[in-house]
């Protein structure tokens, strides 16, 4: 497989968004319920306690693994209730477009993805717990989502860059390599790599495929977390990636051909729902698979983050699949990082106990080198630390930290793909246009009787940034991840109640006249501003 013209290029690395600045004191009025005291309250337990705790965790992990001993769920389509169905994905999208409530639309889209497994059962029994394999025996189930023909079109018509949008990979004799030359990925070079036995990974298909964009923009509302995707095209009889685990929940959708998949349990407690993806593993590192299946077109494989996996093409067919992913950095711990940091900042500002100086000699009895000492000063020091830690929840700005997470999510989001009705009743489909040398349609105006609502349930959110309130929204986001800065505008104090009223009214339409503003002029002015930004739409198209 070695080719002289293959100059290895660095793998694409997604830039991590910078953490937002610490939450200001002004917007942090949160009621925090104190937790009841537990039997063990020491901040730094003894070595015996640590050993006991490790044994307890190992027993818990063993039970968890035992629960996943039989993770193979071969779904029988004939025995399951049907959800949204259609001859093709296009028909499914048309049917979903007729659903007015975007939350319900997202639920139905996810149900279509995992059909016939009921969504409620999936989230209760499978999500973050074990893999599931859905065998449909229907090669056309996902037809229309993506294809090798569309892959070829994208290479010909779009500016696809090696290392940014496309990776060329191989895995032979236990060695994983990337073969990205610099520059644009043109068909002549890309298909030559493929014919040489290399796998192709399209990193952000939603930037090039309208259908993938549409599906992901709906699913992100179901997850409350960014929905992303990669497309993988693998030649017959080859493997493009070493065994590894990811930091995302993965839905492997088989589109063409077939691929042999093996999935393995997390090797230790530390690898259950990991924060980061793993390095590449040797085959000797991973043990025996708990799931060993061949995915064919129309089948689905789900596995949680932390489950090691590898896929290899069979000799008689190529494989094209798309992995839909979500829930990266969306754990309790990720939220707590924001809460605890802000809580400590507020506590130091408001409580003198957090500002008092450390003991002059604390370095002589604290720290790892002194951890085995039996010193009454250590007991007193740890007692004070425990006292301060117990006070910290009183300053925890939970709602403000959630808003920080929400702002990150709205920045991650894809812009919505409008349904025909949303287009016709939003600023996108407004009738203003140039006709026969003049502008027409400008007489269409919003009145106090106009019925309005948010364009989508999750398209906008009010957040306080200290002294001001901003409305963050997704309408003007790019299909390319973080290509644009977060979109927001400052809401005047007299309009915050009205915007909040609109957010909470969804999915109902409300009259402009019902907005809690001081005057009819204010109500109309606010509605016009929201309409012009694409954040709301009207129940009926505006008429001249």
């Amino acid at each position: 497989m070695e080719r002289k013209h293959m100059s290895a290029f660095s793998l694409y690395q997604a830039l991590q968004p910078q953490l937002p600045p610490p939450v200001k004191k002004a917007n942090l009025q949160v009621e925090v319920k104190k937790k009841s005291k537990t039997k063990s309250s020491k901040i730094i337990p003894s070595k015996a306690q640590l050993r006991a705790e490790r044994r307890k965790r190992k027993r818990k992990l063993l039970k968890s693994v035992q629960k996943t001993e039989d993770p193979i769920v071969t779904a029988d389509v004939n025995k399951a209730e049907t959800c949204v169905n259609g001859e093709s994905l296009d028909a499914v999208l048309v049917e979903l477009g007729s659903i007015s409530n975007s939350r319900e639309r997202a639920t139905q889209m996810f149900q279509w993805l995992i059909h016939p497994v009921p969504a409620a059962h999936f989230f209760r029994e499978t999500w973050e717990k074990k893999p599931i394999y859905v065998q449909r025996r229907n090669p056309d189930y996902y037809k229309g989502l993506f294809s090798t023909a569309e892959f070829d079109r994208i290479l010909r018509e779009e500016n696809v860059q090696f290392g940014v949008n496309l990776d060329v990979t191989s895995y032979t004799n236990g060695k994983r390599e990337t073969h990205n030359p610099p520059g644009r990925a043109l068909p002549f070079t890309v298909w030559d790599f493929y014919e040489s036995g290399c796998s192709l990974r399209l990193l952000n298909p939603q930037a090039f495929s309208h259908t993938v964009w549409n599906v992901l923009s709906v699913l992100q509302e179901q997850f409350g977390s960014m929905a992303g995707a990669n497309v993988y095209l693998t030649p017959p009889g080859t493997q493009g990636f070493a065994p590894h685990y990811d930091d995302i929940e993965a839905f492997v959708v088989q589109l063409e051909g077939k691929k042999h998949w093996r999935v393995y349990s997390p090797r230790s407690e530390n690898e259950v729902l990991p924060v980061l993806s793993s390095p590449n593993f040797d085959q000797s590192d991973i043990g025996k698979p708990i799931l060993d299946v061949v995915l064919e077109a129309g089948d689905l494989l789900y596995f949680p983050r932390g489950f090691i996996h590898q896929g290899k093409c069979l000799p008689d067919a190529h494989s094209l699949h798309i992995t839909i992913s979500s829930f990266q950095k969306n754990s309790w711990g990720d939220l707590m990082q924001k809460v605890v940091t802000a809580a400590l900042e507020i506590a130091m500002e408001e409580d003198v106990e957090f500002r008092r100086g450390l003991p002059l000699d604390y370095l002589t009895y604290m720290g790892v080198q002194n951890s085995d000492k039996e010193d009454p000063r250590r007991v007193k020091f740890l007692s004070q630390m425990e006292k301060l830690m117990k006070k910290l929840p009183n300053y925890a700005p939970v709602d403000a930290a959630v808003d920080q997470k929400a702002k990150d999510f709205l920045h991650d989001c894809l812009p919505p793909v409008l349904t025909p009705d949303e287009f016709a009743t939003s600023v996108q489909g407004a009738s203003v246009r140039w006709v026969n040398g003049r502008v027409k349609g400008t007489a269409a105006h919003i009145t106090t009787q106009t019925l309005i609502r948010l364009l989508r349930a999750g398209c906008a959110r009010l957040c306080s940034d200290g002294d001001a309130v901003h409305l963050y929204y997704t309408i003007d986001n790019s299909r390319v991840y973080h290509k644009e800065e977060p979109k927001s505008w400052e809401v005047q104090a007299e309009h915050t109640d009205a915007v909040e009223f609109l957010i909470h009214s969804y999915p109902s339409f409300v009259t402009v006249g019902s907005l809690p503003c001081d005057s009819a002029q204010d109500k109309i002015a606010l509605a016009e501003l929201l309409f012009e930004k694409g954040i709301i739409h009207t129940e009926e198209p505006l008429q001249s």
Side-chain angles (χ1 to χ4, degrees):
M1 186 177 296
E2 292 295 330
R3 296 172 60 89
K4 291 183 180 180
H5 71 275
M6 294 184 186
S7 57
F9 195 68
S10 60
L11 275 171
Y12 168 74
Q13 295 182 352
L15 293 175
Q16 297 298 327
Q18 294 183 348
L19 290 175
V23 186
K24 303 273 186 183
K25 171 185 173 183
N27 72 347
L28 306 174
Q29 296 181 354
V30 183
E31 180 180 352
V32 180
K33 295 182 179 179
K34 293 185 179 180
K35 293 183 178 179
S36 59
K37 293 184 179 180
T38 58
K39 293 181 180 179
S40 177
S41 60
K42 283 196 174 186
I43 300 301
I44 302 180
S46 67
K47 290 182 178 179
Q49 288 174 314
L50 285 172
R51 286 194 293 269
E53 185 63 24
R54 286 195 200 100
R55 287 196 296 269
K56 181 179 178 182
R57 288 201 301 262
K58 286 181 179 178
R59 288 195 297 269
K60 184 177 180 181
L61 175 64
L62 180 60
K63 289 181 180 179
S64 175
V65 171
Q66 288 173 343
K67 288 181 180 179
T68 64
E69 283 296 319
D70 185 23
I72 303 177
V73 180
T74 305
D76 187 343
V77 178
N78 296 323
K79 293 182 179 179
E81 295 182 4
T82 59
C83 57
V84 178
N85 289 302
E87 292 297 323
S88 66
L89 177 57
D90 288 340
V92 172
L93 292 173
V94 169
E95 187 172 346
L96 288 175
S98 66
I99 299 175
S100 176
N101 187 337
S102 67
R103 293 193 189 100
E104 183 181 346
R105 198 181 307 151
T107 299
Q108 290 295 319
M109 174 65 81
F110 180 75
Q111 183 62 81
W112 170 82
L113 177 70
I114 65 167
H115 175 69
V117 180
H121 180 272
F122 173 84
F123 284 113
R124 184 176 64 252
E125 303 294 336
T126 305
W127 177 253
E128 292 190 326
K129 296 182 179 71
K130 62 183 180 181
I132 187 172
Y133 164 48
V134 178
Q135 184 183 36
R136 290 199 176 86
R137 299 183 180 89
N138 177 8
D140 294 330
Y141 188 80
Y142 294 117
K143 185 177 180 180
L145 180 54
F146 200 84
S147 67
T148 48
E150 185 165 15
F151 204 131
D152 184 72
R153 177 197 66 78
I154 289 169
L155 293 175
R156 294 182 183 282
E157 299 177 4
E158 305 285 354
N159 183 18
V160 178
Q161 294 287 315
F162 283 112
V164 177
N165 312 115
L166 184 74
D167 280 330
V168 179
T169 69
S170 64
Y171 178 70
T172 55
N173 299 322
K175 185 177 182 181
R176 159 77 165 82
E177 292 184 282
T178 301
H179 310 280
N180 291 340
R184 182 176 171 182
L186 292 167
F188 181 87
T189 306
V190 172
W191 293 126
D192 185 47
F193 276 123
Y194 176 83
E195 287 295 302
S196 300
C198 291
S199 290
L200 307 175
R201 173 170 64 178
L202 186 63
L203 290 163
N204 52 341
Q206 60 272 24
F208 307 109
S209 166
H210 186 276
T211 302
V212 175
W213 168 30
N214 195 352
V215 170
L216 296 182
S217 71
V218 174
L219 285 176
Q220 66 193 7
E221 196 166 329
Q222 169 72 14
F223 294 124
S225 176
M226 187 187 84
N230 289 335
V231 168
Y232 299 83
L233 179 61
T234 311
T238 68
Q239 181 169 337
F241 295 87
H244 66 283
Y245 62 72
D246 294 312
D247 60 348
I248 47 87
E249 302 298 298
F251 297 84
V252 179
V253 175
Q254 191 69 26
L255 301 171
E256 295 175 9
K258 49 190 173 182
K259 181 173 275 190
H260 176 207
W261 282 90
R262 285 170 287 174
V263 182
Y264 309 77
S265 287
R267 302 177 306 168
S268 69
E269 180 187 9
N270 292 338
E271 294 180 359
V272 175
L273 303 178
V275 175
L276 300 173
S277 296
S278 74
N280 296 326
F281 294 122
D282 292 330
Q283 299 293 337
S284 59
D285 295 334
I286 56 180
K288 295 182 179 180
I290 59 169
L291 184 59
D292 192 323
V293 294
V294 174
L295 251 64
E296 300 189 16
D299 293 346
L300 173 73
L301 174 64
Y302 160 81
F303 45 82
R305 53 198 190 276
F307 277 76
I308 300 168
H309 53 278
Q310 59 179 324
K312 183 174 182 178
C313 257
L314 300 179
D316 59 339
H318 76 282
S319 169
L320 179 74
H321 78 265
I322 184 170
T323 297
I324 295 173
S325 61
S326 191
F327 253 59
Q328 186 179 53
K329 299 186 183 304
N330 203 45
S331 68
W332 281 100
D334 291 303
L335 176 61
M336 289 293 291
Q337 284 182 330
K338 298 180 182 296
V339 173
V340 173
T341 300
L344 188 56
E345 181 180 328
I346 298 166
M348 291 185 70
E349 185 176 339
E350 296 187 355
D351 190 334
V352 68
E353 290 298 317
F354 285 86
R355 301 195 298 272
R356 295 193 189 282
L358 292 165
L360 296 177
D361 58 347
Y362 81 102
L363 293 178
T364 65
Y365 55 85
M366 296 305 299
V368 174
Q369 70 181 32
N370 301 309
S371 60
D372 289 331
K373 285 185 176 181
E374 292 186 5
D375 190 320
R377 293 175 299 174
R378 285 181 58 83
V379 175
K380 184 178 179 181
F381 189 96
L382 292 174
S383 176
Q384 177 64 11
M385 182 69 74
E386 180 181 357
K387 177 183 175 182
L388 294 176
M389 291 289 287
K390 286 182 176 180
K391 295 178 73 174
L392 204 56
N394 296 318
Y395 305 100
V398 178
D399 286 318
V402 168
D403 281 345
Q404 292 289 335
K405 284 285 290 178
K407 286 193 289 185
D408 291 345
F409 169 47
L410 264 65
H411 189 202
D412 294 343
C413 276
L414 287 164
V417 178
L418 302 186
T419 66
D421 179 67
E422 288 171 340
F423 181 85
T425 56
S426 70
V427 69
Q428 304 282 353
S431 60
V432 180
R433 65 194 66 222
W434 181 270
V435 180
N436 297 327
R438 56 185 297 188
V439 177
K440 291 193 174 182
T442 56
H445 294 294
I446 290 176
T447 70
T448 55
Q449 299 305 309
T450 305
L451 288 164
I452 59 173
R453 73 170 186 184
L454 286 184
L455 188 67
R456 297 279 174 89
C459 75
R461 184 181 182 93
L462 274 176
C463 296
S464 175
D465 294 334
D467 297 329
V469 175
H470 284 78
L471 184 69
Y472 288 81
Y473 57 96
T474 66
I475 311 302
D476 293 335
N477 283 3
S478 171
R479 290 162 65 177
V480 177
Y481 180 70
H482 284 192
K483 183 178 180 180
E484 303 287 343
E485 292 297 315
K487 304 298 181 182
S488 70
W489 59 278
E490 184 175 344
V491 180
Q492 299 301 314
E494 60 269 23
H495 291 156
T496 54
D497 287 345
V499 174
E500 187 174 322
F501 172 71
L502 271 173
I503 291 172
H504 291 159
S505 295
Y506 190 90
S508 299
F509 285 90
V510 297
T511 63
V512 172
S514 67
L515 298 178
C517 296
D518 292 338
S519 67
Q521 279 186 325
D522 282 348
K523 297 175 183 183
I524 293 173
L526 176 61
E528 287 179 339
L529 178 60
L530 293 169
F531 184 81
E532 289 170 5
K533 290 186 175 293
I535 297 171
I536 65 170
H537 69 126
T538 56
E539 186 176 40
E540 300 291 339
L542 290 179
Q543 301 295 327
S544 299

